[in-house]
Amino acid sequence: MKVLMFNGSARPHGCTFTALSEIGRQLEKEGIDSQIIQIGGQPIRDCIGCKACSNLNGQCVFNDDPINEWILLAREADGFVFGTPVYYAHPSGRLLSVLDRMFYAGSSAFRHKPGAAVASARRAGTTASLDAVNKFFAFAQMPMVPSNYWNMVHGNTPEEVLQDLEGLQTMRNLARNLAWMLRLIRLGRENGLVAPEAETGQRTNFIR
C-alpha cells in the first residue's frame, strides 16, 4: 500500500514538508510506503472549466505541467495527504489550482480512497484552510482521515515546527488512523466488499 503526500508549499523543505515528513515516518513504522510530491514554485495553470477532460479519459487537456502525471500516480495510490501553508487564512493558490484540475479531470483516481488535509501556519488561519481542502474529499466520495486534534502544525520555520510537540503528535496520530483505514479497506476488498456506486443524472438547476 502506498500514500501520496502533496507538499503545497513552494519551499521544498519548509514547515509543510516537516509536517508531511513526520507523517511519512509514522507510516513507515506502520508498514505503509509513502512519497512526498513537491508541487514546487513552477507556474501551475488554473482550471478554466472547459470540460474537455470529460472526453480525455480522466486527463486534463493541458499538458504544460505535471498535473496529468500526478493523476496517473494517484490512480496507483491507496491514500492521500495534501499539505498546505496558510496564506491569508486560505490554502496556497498553487495547491488549489492542482486540486481543482486533478479532481475535476481525474476524480475517479481518488474515489473511495482515504484523504487527509494538513495545514501549517505561524499562528492562525489553519481551520479555514483545512475546510477548503476537505471539500475536495467530500465531492470525490473519499473517507476523511482524522487525528485527535485539527490536522495542523505551528511555526514560522521548520525548526519551530519541530518544537510544536502537540502538532507533531497530531501528525503521527493522523498517520496511524490512515494506516488503520487502509488496512480496513484492503480487508473489506479481500472479503468481497465493493465500494458503492453513486447515483447520477439528477441536476437541480433552479437553485441559484
Side-chain angles (χ1 to χ4, degrees):
M1 291 183 287
K2 185 171 184 178
V3 172
L4 285 185
M5 299 193 288
F6 287 79
N7 180 6
S9 171
R11 294 184 173 90
H13 297 98
C15 297
T16 305
F17 174 82
T18 304
L20 295 177
S21 296
E22 189 73 8
I23 295 171
R25 282 188 287 271
Q26 186 62 43
L27 286 173
E28 184 178 7
K29 293 179 181 179
E30 301 287 334
I32 307 293
D33 293 331
S34 64
Q35 175 185 354
I36 296 178
I37 293 177
Q38 305 285 1
I39 292 176
Q42 75 274 19
I44 297 289
R45 183 193 294 267
D46 290 337
C47 177
I48 62 172
C50 67
K51 301 184 180 179
C53 56
S54 61
N55 298 316
L56 292 174
N57 194 29
Q59 293 279 280
C60 180
V61 69
F62 299 114
N63 281 306
D64 53 355
D65 53 38
I67 294 295
N68 284 326
E69 175 187 337
W70 293 339
I71 291 174
L72 292 176
L73 289 175
R75 294 194 185 282
E76 301 301 319
D78 301 289
F80 304 91
V81 180
F82 292 92
T84 183
V86 174
Y87 298 159
Y88 290 93
H90 64 76
S92 75
R94 187 174 291 103
L95 178 65
L96 290 177
S97 292
V98 168
L99 290 170
D100 280 344
R101 287 176 57 204
M102 288 183 66
F103 276 74
Y104 202 106
S107 61
S108 61
F110 300 93
R111 191 172 302 140
H112 298 128
K113 298 177 181 179
V118 169
S120 68
R122 184 189 69 82
R123 189 167 180 86
T126 46
T127 53
S129 298
L130 292 173
D131 179 64
V133 178
N134 283 336
K135 288 181 170 66
F136 289 90
F137 307 150
F139 275 79
Q141 305 176 63
M142 298 170 67
M144 298 183 200
V145 185
S147 186
N148 63 314
Y149 194 65
W150 301 108
N151 299 343
M152 63 179 69
V153 295
H154 289 89
N156 201 39
T157 65
E159 292 74 22
E160 289 180 357
V161 170
L162 292 174
Q163 297 177 53
D164 180 10
L165 299 183
E166 183 178 7
L168 295 177
Q169 174 183 268
T170 301
M171 297 301 106
R172 293 191 297 272
N173 285 332
L174 185 159
R176 292 185 183 98
N177 285 336
L178 175 53
W180 174 69
M181 292 172 74
L182 289 173
R183 294 190 192 101
L184 289 178
I185 291 171
R186 182 178 64 180
L187 184 62
R189 188 182 300 118
E190 290 172 350
N191 285 275
L193 293 176
V194 179
E197 288 291 331
E199 293 184 23
T200 59
Q202 298 298 325
R203 299 286 299 270
T204 303
N205 294 318
F206 61 82
I207 297 176
R208 297 288 187 263

